[in-house]
């Protein structure tokens, strides 16, 4: 997730090489708060995990169509998920190894599988990767040390965001994904543990809404008001089993939901209609126009970037006048920001 977030910050997302320090990763995963391990041991663990990711292969099966004999034609790209070079720094031992590194740098490049991500349309528009990277950036705002349940739920919701926009989850289903089964069983048999687990759950949902801007809809029949976060009155006996069977829907934040919802298609049609009347070569926008129009709509640079399918860094460079706006991008900006020319 951290790699995906950094991939989105590049000028050419999911293509460029970038470098991350092990010390930075220690903070991002909450290990800076651990006092039982010295820094060099933490760095070695980071290096070992990075090596495992470098060895990890990803395989996708994409159905391309049906052949004349009625069989299924498909493509199955296989490749390394990430290409990672691990560079430890520190005093070398007599055996030629750096056994207690002062720092470990990771040189990272997304694997070439990203060119085939999702399907043909997704590979061309790159929307799927941009959406995933956008959500991964938001995940970095969660404290993994104090908000672990929220982080686990957020990761799962992020991975599922493209396929389960309107499908309800049972609370027990999500808890079994995020926690050991033993913790749930113990809560069912112990009122105090049930209270604490419900409290952790409510706190996690608040974090998902407030920090990640996820949209949570509670099923009115199975998830009544008195079961939801914020209810302070005492709950009836046997509430925990009802809580486990309660249903809710978790939707990704804007602009991700806009991008994957049916509204996207109508936006494209409107854009195609508009560009027929205006020659692309005649469209000229300045960074100041983009910034003023974005601010007028109350959009952040991140929201505009997600809607355009580009990195937030590129939006920032455009507004600063450090990047030229291509005619195609200008056409999209006219439509999204309602700019009149």
């Amino acid at each position: 997730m951290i790699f995906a977030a950094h991939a989105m910050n590049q000028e050419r997302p999911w293509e460029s090489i970038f470098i991350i320090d092990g010390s930075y990763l220690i903070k991002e995963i909450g290990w800076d708060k651990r006092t039982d391990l010295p820094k060099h041991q933490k760095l070695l663990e980071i290096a070992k995990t990075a090596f495992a990711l470098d060895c990890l292969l990803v395989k996708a099966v994409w159905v391309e169509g049906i052949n004349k004999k009625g069989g299924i034609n498909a493509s199955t790209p296989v490749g390394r998920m990430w290409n990672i070079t691990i560079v430890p720094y520190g005093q070398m031992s007599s055996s030629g190894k750096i056994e207690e590194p002062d720092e470990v740098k990771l040189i990272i490049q997304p694997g070439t599988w990203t060119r085939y991500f999702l399907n043909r349309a997704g590979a061309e528009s790159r929307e799927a990767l941009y959406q995933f990277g956008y959500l991964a950036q938001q995940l970095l705002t969660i404290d993994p040390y104090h908000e672990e349940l929220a982080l686990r739920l957020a990761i799962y919701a992020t991975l599922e965001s493209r396929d389960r926009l309107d499908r309800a989850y049972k609370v027990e289903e999500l808890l079994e994904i995020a926690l050991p089964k033993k913790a749930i069983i113990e809560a069912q048999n112990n009122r105090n543990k049930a209270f604490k687990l419900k409290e952790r759950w409510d706190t996690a949902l608040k974090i998902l809404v407030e920090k990640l801007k996820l949209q949570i809809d509670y099923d009115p029949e199975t998830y009544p008001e008195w079961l939801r976060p914020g209810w302070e009155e005492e709950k009836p006996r046997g509430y925990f089993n009802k809580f486990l069977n309660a249903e809710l829907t978790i939707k990704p934040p804007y602009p991700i939901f806009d991008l994957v919802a049916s509204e996207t298609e109508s936006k494209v049609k409107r854009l195609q209609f508009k560009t027929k009347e205006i020659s692309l070569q005649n469209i000229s926008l300045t960074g100041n126009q983009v910034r003023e129009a974005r601010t007028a709509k109350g959009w952040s640079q991140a929201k505009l970037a997600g809607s355009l399918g580009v990195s937030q860094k590129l939006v920032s460079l455009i507004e600063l006048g450090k990047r030229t706006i291509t005619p195609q991008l200008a056409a999209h900006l006219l439509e999204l920001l309602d700019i009149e020319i």
Side-chain angles (χ1 to χ4, degrees):
M1 287 291 185
I2 294 173
F3 287 179
H6 280 264
M8 273 301 293
N9 281 329
Q10 307 310 305
E11 186 174 342
R12 298 178 63 186
W14 298 99
E15 295 181 27
S16 303
I17 294 174
F18 53 94
I19 300 174
I20 300 181
D21 287 345
S23 298
Y24 168 83
L25 289 173
I26 287 173
K27 293 181 180 179
E28 285 300 317
I29 63 177
W31 275 11
D32 57 320
K33 299 178 178 67
R34 288 189 61 176
T35 57
D36 59 326
L37 293 177
K39 182 180 178 181
H40 75 266
Q41 194 168 338
K42 295 175 184 178
L43 289 171
L44 289 173
E45 288 296 322
I46 291 289
K48 185 166 67 174
T49 304
F51 179 76
L53 285 175
D54 184 60
C55 296
L56 189 64
L57 295 180
V58 59
K59 176 182 178 180
V61 179
W62 307 125
V63 175
E64 304 289 351
I66 305 297
N67 58 37
K68 294 179 180 180
K69 297 181 179 180
I72 297 175
N73 291 332
S75 60
T76 58
V78 179
R80 290 162 71 179
M81 181 170 283
W82 298 95
N83 299 312
I84 305 170
T85 299
I86 303 164
V87 187
Y89 290 86
Q91 181 174 318
M92 184 182 295
S93 67
S94 57
S95 61
K97 296 181 180 179
I98 300 177
E99 297 175 349
E100 296 186 3
D102 300 319
E103 184 60 271
V104 170
K105 289 186 180 292
L106 305 180
I107 304 173
I108 306 157
Q109 183 178 36
T112 54
W113 65 272
T114 55
R115 300 178 186 179
Y116 298 93
F117 187 74
L118 189 63
N119 52 31
R120 287 183 185 174
E124 292 173 0
S125 67
R126 307 304 280 274
E127 279 188 2
L129 285 172
Y130 286 125
Q131 292 162 23
F132 180 76
Y134 175 87
L135 290 175
Q137 288 175 328
Q138 310 312 304
L139 287 180
L140 298 189
T141 64
I142 297 179
D143 182 346
Y145 194 76
H146 295 106
E147 302 166 349
E148 184 180 0
L149 179 56
L151 181 60
R152 289 174 179 269
L153 291 173
I155 290 173
Y156 182 72
T158 298
L159 296 175
E160 293 284 290
S161 61
R162 290 193 61 84
D163 301 319
R164 294 187 62 158
L165 283 178
D166 298 307
R167 182 178 165 190
Y169 297 94
K170 275 191 176 183
V171 170
E172 187 173 12
E173 173 190 357
L174 292 174
L175 284 175
E176 288 180 349
I177 290 168
L179 299 174
K181 180 70 173 179
K182 180 182 177 182
I184 301 170
I185 294 174
E186 289 178 347
Q188 287 177 300
N189 298 318
N190 184 296
R191 186 173 180 82
N192 186 47
K193 289 185 177 181
F195 174 81
K196 289 183 177 179
L197 180 55
K198 175 67 165 59
E199 193 173 48
R200 284 183 65 194
W201 170 267
D202 289 348
T203 300
L205 292 191
K206 289 180 181 178
I207 291 171
L208 296 185
V209 172
E210 293 172 3
K211 287 192 175 182
L212 299 191
K213 309 303 180 185
L214 295 180
Q215 306 166 71
I216 298 179
D217 296 328
Y218 300 95
D219 177 53
E221 293 185 8
T222 63
Y223 214 135
E225 290 283 347
W226 57 267
L227 263 182
R228 301 176 192 177
W231 186 268
E232 298 180 356
E233 297 179 24
E234 187 176 352
K235 299 173 180 61
R237 184 174 295 276
Y239 78 91
F240 191 74
N241 285 329
K242 184 173 181 63
F243 162 68
L244 292 178
N245 288 297
E247 296 184 357
L248 70 164
T249 303
I250 303 178
K251 299 177 181 178
Y254 296 99
I256 307 306
F257 187 76
D258 283 341
L259 288 170
V260 298
S262 58
E263 184 182 347
T264 303
E265 185 177 351
S266 62
K267 283 184 178 180
V268 172
K269 289 181 179 179
R270 292 200 308 271
L271 179 61
Q272 290 174 342
F273 175 78
K274 191 167 187 175
T275 54
K276 286 180 181 179
E277 298 179 347
I278 305 173
S279 171
L280 287 178
Q281 298 302 322
N282 294 330
I283 298 176
S284 178
L285 287 178
T286 65
N288 285 335
Q289 285 178 297
V290 174
R291 183 180 64 254
E292 290 173 2
R294 175 182 61 77
T295 304
K297 288 181 73 73
W299 283 19
S300 66
Q301 287 186 345
K303 180 171 181 177
L304 178 58
S307 297
L308 289 170
V310 300
S311 68
Q312 183 177 344
K313 182 177 180 181
L314 179 58
V315 172
S316 175
L317 291 173
I318 286 173
E319 292 188 354
L320 291 172
K322 295 182 178 180
R323 284 293 181 275
T324 302
I325 304 174
T326 65
Q328 290 77 12
L329 184 58
H332 281 76
L333 286 166
L334 288 178
E335 175 66 20
L336 289 169
L337 300 178
D338 301 318
I339 300 175
E340 296 294 335
I341 61 172

